Amino acid sequence: MNKVINIQFLRAVAAFIVVLYHTAYHYFAVVDFSTTNIFSIVKNFGYVGVDLFFVTSGYVIWVSTRNVSNFVGIMSFVYGRLTRIYFGYWPYFFILLIITYLFSRELLNTVDIVGSFFLTQKALNKILITVSWTLTYELYFYLCFSFLLFLPRRKIIYVLYFLGIVIVAVQLFGIFILGAYLRNNFPTTHIIFTFYMSPFCLEFIAGCLIAFYFENKQVNNLMAVFVAAFLFFALAMFYQANIDGLLDQGYYYPQRVILLGSMSVFILVGLIELERRGVILFPNFSKLVGEASYSMYLSHTIILYVLYGIGVRTAIKEFGKYQGFLMILVVLLIVGYSILHYRIIETPLMSLARKFKIWIQQKMVLRGFLSSLPGLEAAVKITNLFI
């Protein structure tokens, strides 16, 4: 798959605003809310980075499976996605597990360790790394899409359209018939509405449809695309200003996907079309930070947790007008560590995963070759002892 550099830029921006979003809560815990700076702005919408990630994941999953046409290819795709998620996630899981065990052991009594490790626990208050809730959606979509890969490529599109319609129908039933997203009802809403047929699934599907669209078509009016993205963002902020809380709360997931999911779709379309026209946004920055965006997404809450534990947040309160600058330094620390982690830990682990896959493939080829030769049944049996 040829990487679209502008997608790396989008990943970098998405991860960065999520970092700012969570850092803002620590900042305003010690600073007057009337302060106006980048944190006061991003705290109102930084969660949209998740929507950008989901739509982008749908695009990438379609493009990366373009040449997958048999069982071996499907298994290779599944292996690649699983190792990408888990090998990037597990180091941070163990880092936080050790830190929590050493300094806040009582918190482990409320955490589902096994579910957190395998990313199967869906309750936010029971997972070790809180931001990892999004990874359960990623795994779910990859699993579902891997089954679709057994179908002819063109039919997958029709299935995605059908699934999108089914999800919308289920959500409409939940909203208007069951009141699934009402505050009093939401804590007991069935998981089919909040996960298996979640509005977030529509963002993944939209990403796939964008990739399919660009296989044979292009966008003529690029300005209209970015204007549409801005309008959906403005509508989201206007709607959010008139509700109790932010759109990142579970009660508002359908509205969030309609408004900010649509915004994310138009942003992705615009950036892809820009690159097709030869406009690449900050290529060096995009490659450097975009590749480390997964690490940044997972690392930042852990780093903020550690800094809070050693008293950095409280200390910043004493620095008056320099408080905002010091919090920016904290953000840069997060970005810097994430890049180092990506290069020193995540990249070698992914290289090891690829080598293991190649080793398995070579063993399978050897087994198939020996089985095809007459009179070598004994050799095959001996080989099977080591494969």
Side-chain angles (χ1 to χ4, degrees), residues 1-4 59-70 73 77 145 149 151-154 156 208 210-216 272 276:
M1 180 186 78
N2 295 324
K3 289 187 177 180
V4 179
Y59 175 88
V60 171
I61 197 175
W62 180 270
V63 174
S64 63
T65 57
R66 184 175 294 158
N67 298 318
V68 174
S69 58
N70 54 40
F77 163 75
F145 197 86
L149 290 173
L151 299 173
R153 193 70 169 173
R154 190 78 186 185
I156 296 177
C208 291
I210 291 170
F212 175 73
Y213 175 87
F214 276 111
E215 287 183 350
N216 301 300
I272 294 170
R276 287 161 65 96

Side-chain angles (χ1 to χ4, degrees), residues 159-172:
V159 174
L160 290 176
Y161 279 127
F162 174 75
L163 289 175
I165 294 171
V166 170
I167 291 171
V168 170
V170 169
Q171 287 297 319
L172 289 175

Side-chain angles (χ1 to χ4, degrees), residues 306-322:
V306 171
L307 293 178
Y308 171 74
I310 63 177
V312 170
R313 190 177 80 176
T314 303
I316 287 176
K317 186 177 182 180
E318 308 300 324
F319 283 87
K321 62 181 181 179
Y322 299 105

Side-chain angles (χ1 to χ4, degrees), residues 187-208:
T188 57
T189 293
H190 198 279
I191 196 171
I192 193 170
F193 297 103
T194 58
F195 185 78
Y196 294 111
M197 290 288 172
S198 167
F200 287 128
C201 294
L202 296 174
E203 296 183 337
F204 286 103
I205 293 174
C208 291

